[in-house]
Amino acid sequence: MKLKICGMRDAENIQAVTALSPQYMGFIFYRKSPRFVGDDFVMPAISPGIKKVGVFVNETTENILRIASRYDLTLIQLHGHETPEQCRDLKAKGLSVIKVFSVGEDFDWSTVQPYKSLADFFLFDTKGKYYGGNAQAFDWSLLQKYDQEIPFFLSGGLSPENIDDVDRLKGMNLYALDVNSGVEDSPGVKNASKIESVLEKLKSLK
Ligand SMILES: O=C(O)c1ccccc1NCC(=O)[C@H](O)[C@H](O)COP(=O)(O)O
């Protein structure tokens, strides 16, 4: 099981998390997020084994491409109401796309259909007050309604306390876990010990 640490921005903290070798690291380019990297963000050197994911909310393709090039991003996470056409345009530029869906009791699973051939991954997050970073898990039994065709990232309130429960999702096309506020000391600052604890628990999930 792969791991994405999302919402990084502090250089020292990025280095500390890099040392733990998650497969993905996420950087938020959405101004209204408490984890927004900022306009003057300088990307520290990150080992090539860690893929850099840019997180965007309802951003123009032009701006996404500019930022992707500036920070050498490999994957684009679209966390708002982006269209299938925008996914196609980004893929045509050589970027991999993670399309996010915010899941609640009333989620219409047919909305994922048009994105199937256009996204590399889906990410299922909790529907909440904010676009992301709601620090709450959704009812994972809702995933039974997903046809599992496209591999997905699971997010929403994941922490060392509930990682073991992911075992219930065995056999589904779950590709990676995305952790954020559940391993934080403060918005954007991750706690290395909590991440180590997640990694330890992941070993037994395989
Ligand atoms: O984290 C944010 O502040 C955020 C704001 C707007 C869009 C996306 C955001 N986060 C992206 C993520 O992939 C988070 O890891 C995901 O929403 C889960 O967060 P959490 O519930 O805190 O674990």
Side-chain angles (χ1 to χ4, degrees):
M1 180 83 60
K2 312 239 184 278
L3 183 66
K4 168 170 170 266
I5 309 294
C6 199
M8 304 295 306
R9 63 173 171 205
D10 173 79
E12 238 175 75
N13 196 230
I14 289 171
Q15 295 303 356
V17 172
T18 296
L20 302 176
S21 304
Q23 286 78 18
Y24 298 88
M25 210 180 265
F27 304 89
I28 298 181
F29 295 93
Y30 174 57
R31 285 178 182 279
K32 291 184 185 163
S33 166
R35 302 174 184 86
F36 173 51
V37 292
D39 290 318
D40 304 320
F41 178 60
V42 176
M43 183 71 77
I46 291 176
S47 117
I50 301 177
K51 295 194 173 89
K52 290 182 274 185
V53 182
V55 179
F56 297 89
V57 177
N58 303 330
E59 190 51 85
T60 64
T61 299
E62 188 189 355
N63 280 344
I64 294 174
L65 291 175
R66 184 177 47 77
I67 291 167
S69 161
R70 176 171 172 190
Y71 293 111
D72 196 21
L73 305 175
T74 307
L75 293 99
I76 303 301
Q77 180 174 323
L78 299 173
H79 220 106
H81 306 289
E82 298 83 5
T83 62
E85 290 70 33
Q86 188 170 25
C87 297
R88 189 189 51 219
D89 293 347
L90 291 167
K91 277 190 72 64
K93 296 289 181 186
L95 292 161
S96 295
V97 171
I98 304 173
K99 179 67 189 97
V100 179
F101 298 93
S102 301
V103 180
E105 294 295 329
D106 56 350
F107 182 63
D108 175 2
W109 288 89
S110 72
T111 56
V112 310
Q113 294 295 335
Y115 294 87
K116 272 192 179 161
S117 54
L118 304 169
D120 297 275
F121 300 100
F122 288 156
L123 184 152
F124 297 119
D125 194 5
T126 307
K127 182 180 180 182
K129 190 172 172 193
Y130 309 109
Y131 277 106
N134 283 290
Q136 269 188 327
F138 64 93
D139 175 3
W140 298 342
S141 67
L142 294 170
L143 289 165
Q144 283 160 9
K145 295 181 190 160
Y146 175 50
D147 63 18
Q148 299 169 29
E149 243 179 72
I150 306 292
F152 68 94
F153 286 64
L154 177 71
S155 79
L158 290 171
S159 72
E161 283 70 46
N162 62 7
I163 290 290
D164 286 336
D165 300 341
V166 171
D167 201 39
R168 290 201 265 137
L169 305 178
K170 228 181 221 162
M172 292 192 165
N173 207 352
L174 173 58
Y175 176 77
L177 300 182
D178 176 317
V179 297
N180 182 19
S181 55
V183 294
E184 266 180 353
D185 286 331
S186 61
V189 180
K190 268 55 185 179
N191 179 306
S193 308
K194 286 186 182 172
I195 295 174
E196 278 171 336
S197 167
V198 166
L199 284 166
E200 195 51 43
K201 286 166 186 264
L202 279 186
K203 279 187 200 158
S204 58
L205 286 177
K206 284 284 173 218

